Amino acid sequence: MRVSVVGAGLGGLALAQGLRGAGIAAEVFERDPGIVARFQGYRLVLNPTGFQAVRNCLPERWHPLLDEIVMDASAEQLILDPQLNEIGKLGAGRTGIVVDRQVLRHLLLTGLTVHTDAALTGYDIQTDGTVEARFARRDPATADLLVGADGVTSAVRGVLSPQTVPTDTGVRFVIGRTPLTDEFADLSKAYGSKIAGDGVSLLLGAMRFRTPPKQAAEQLAPEVDLPDIGDYVRWAMILPPHGSLEDLSAQDAVLSRMQGWHPLLRALIEQADPDNSTLLSIRVVKPAKRWTPGPVTLLGDAIHATSPTGGNGANTALRDADLLRRCLIETDQGRQDLHTAVDDYERQMFDYGTEAVQSSLDKLPAFAPTAKLS
């Protein structure tokens, strides 16, 4: 069996790794001109389901390395004012496994066949049931299954389910990261909490590695090349819906909304890496009516993009990857045909994916009260 995965995000790469480990041929096609063409290195919190999905998709020999490059985290989820005084609680405390997206992505890339500068333009289902994927700047690729793991603007979804389109909530946020130095030790109670300002919310999260990723790989899995990065603080400011940035840089847009804030908070933004600070919109994709199961399917944000306030986007994509991996192994071992396997995956994925999107939207008003959720 051959599988073509469109999109080199965490979900697509986890699927390809899981299939590779089962002896199933999988190639990944990424529209970016290079695998590190844009920065993708922010902190993620994985719940037990998401973290176990990663472990299931990776070779067992890399499990010790995975355990060394993550951290356990717990947060009270307080609400603080701009002077760091507690003024409320955001919700129940949250625990999980914290991982750096860039580091995890490089681990998942190891040993895979990844074609970059491969923007999908369409696909055709052949008479023998295989799928030929067409690309703008490379030869077509034929596989038994085409998986669209290509994000909110999925080109695969545009053909498979054109009625399923992203919804813009109107909410914008600026995200960045700052090296975690001793200067910011007194910010520890703000990690995992919301700092409520005048119409904006600032969220902070610490990324502390048990062992620096590059060093951990050299010691535990020399065949893996991980980024040489240190501990940092990930910060994100959620802006008022449809607010103007007045042509400011991402960093300056945040600082312009922090007049009179605690000096440590302003210093955190001032010392951020400007190359790793960016403005993003919050868009969601709600699974619409199911299509007839066949040799094309979707995974992750391509079919159930969530608001980051739910903290479940990466977890749900990784859950998809592990579930689809298991279904395809059933096919490869002759226990069920491909269409039955895809149908089994899609039935389950639609249920929990729809729930994940709604859960993330239910939590969005706590950070952006006037967000458009319809």
Side-chain angles (χ1 to χ4, degrees):
M1 181 164 56
R2 296 164 297 166
V3 178
S4 291
V5 179
V6 178
L10 296 183
L13 294 175
L15 172 63
Q17 275 289 355
L19 296 178
R20 173 175 175 258
I24 298 173
E27 291 184 288
V28 180
F29 299 87
E30 168 56 48
R31 62 182 170 228
D32 283 350
I35 207 62
V36 292
R38 55 193 171 92
F39 181 73
Q40 300 186 47
Y42 297 111
R43 167 189 185 272
L44 298 170
V45 180
L46 299 182
N47 61 30
T49 299
F51 187 60
Q52 187 60 51
V54 172
R55 295 181 73 85
N56 292 346
C57 291
L58 286 173
E60 285 190 18
R61 66 182 183 278
W62 292 349
H63 288 183
L65 174 58
L66 177 65
D67 291 338
E68 198 62 28
I69 59 175
V70 302
M71 62 175 276
D72 295 316
S74 61
E76 290 187 76
Q77 290 198 296
L78 305 174
I79 303 175
L80 309 176
D81 69 16
Q83 299 304 321
L84 300 177
N85 300 306
E86 182 180 342
I87 57 175
K89 292 188 180 295
L90 191 57
R94 186 182 180 198
T95 60
I97 299 294
V98 179
V99 62
D100 177 78
R101 189 182 192 278
Q102 182 187 20
V103 171
L104 180 57
R105 188 167 181 251
H106 275 75
L107 177 58
L108 290 169
L109 281 163
T110 304
L112 295 182
T113 301
V114 180
H115 307 280
T116 56
D117 200 22
L120 184 96
T121 58
Y123 63 81
D124 297 300
I125 299 177
Q126 309 296 303
T127 56
D128 62 358
T130 59
V131 185
E132 182 182 81
R134 305 189 305 275
F135 303 93
R137 288 175 293 278
R138 60 162 289 115
D139 293 337
T142 302
D144 298 290
L145 179 67
L146 177 68
V147 180
D150 47 343
V152 175
T153 59
S154 172
V156 179
R157 186 191 66 233
V159 180
L160 179 63
S161 183
Q163 73 275 18
T164 306
V165 295
T167 298
D168 190 342
T169 65
V171 179
R172 305 290 181 263
F173 69 105
V174 182
I175 190 168
R177 72 182 198 181
T178 303
L180 181 53
T181 62
D182 292 341
E183 177 182 358
F184 301 118
D186 290 342
L187 286 179
S188 58
K189 73 174 182 179
Y191 300 147
S193 298
K194 178 181 86 166
I195 302 161
D198 184 13
V200 298
S201 298
L202 181 66
L203 311 176
L204 308 181
M207 181 71 238
R208 298 184 182 92
F209 298 102
R210 292 172 180 165
T211 301
K214 189 172 184 64
Q215 178 183 333
E218 290 170 350
Q219 294 173 349
L220 297 172
E223 72 275 20
V224 178
D225 184 18
L226 295 184
D228 186 12
I229 64 174
D231 298 347
Y232 64 87
V233 178
R234 188 271 301 136
W235 50 264
M237 178 172 277
I238 299 179
L239 305 172
H242 306 291
S244 169
L245 289 182
E246 302 164 352
D247 296 323
L248 297 174
S249 69
Q251 217 168 346
D252 287 340
V254 174
L255 288 169
S256 71
R257 290 164 169 81
M258 296 178 67
Q259 299 298 324
W261 285 41
H262 195 288
L264 275 181
L265 294 173
R266 288 188 58 86
L268 186 74
I269 307 304
E270 290 168 349
Q271 296 179 32
D273 180 354
D275 293 335
N276 296 337
S277 304
T278 188
L279 172 72
L280 298 170
S281 61
I282 295 183
R283 293 176 292 171
V284 299
V285 176
K286 297 181 180 180
K289 182 180 178 181
R290 280 193 61 196
W291 50 87
T292 302
V296 183
T297 193
L298 299 171
L299 178 155
D301 284 357
I303 184 58
H304 47 62
T306 66
S307 163
T309 51
N312 54 12
N315 286 294
T316 311
L318 293 168
R319 182 177 180 180
D320 290 351
D322 187 33
L323 173 60
L324 184 54
R325 173 192 70 88
R326 287 184 277 113
C327 290
L328 294 179
I329 289 173
E330 291 284 305
T331 296
D332 191 59
Q333 295 179 349
R335 290 194 284 271
Q336 62 179 349
D337 63 68
L338 179 61
H339 287 199
T340 301
V342 172
D343 179 57
D344 187 23
Y345 159 71
E346 290 176 351
R347 281 189 299 101
Q348 296 181 63
M349 178 269 289
F350 261 66
D351 285 346
Y352 65 70
T354 300
E355 181 180 346
V357 176
Q358 190 56 53
S359 174
S360 76
L361 288 175
D362 290 344
K363 294 174 181 176
L364 185 55
F367 301 92
T370 58
K372 181 184 73 175
L373 305 182
S374 59

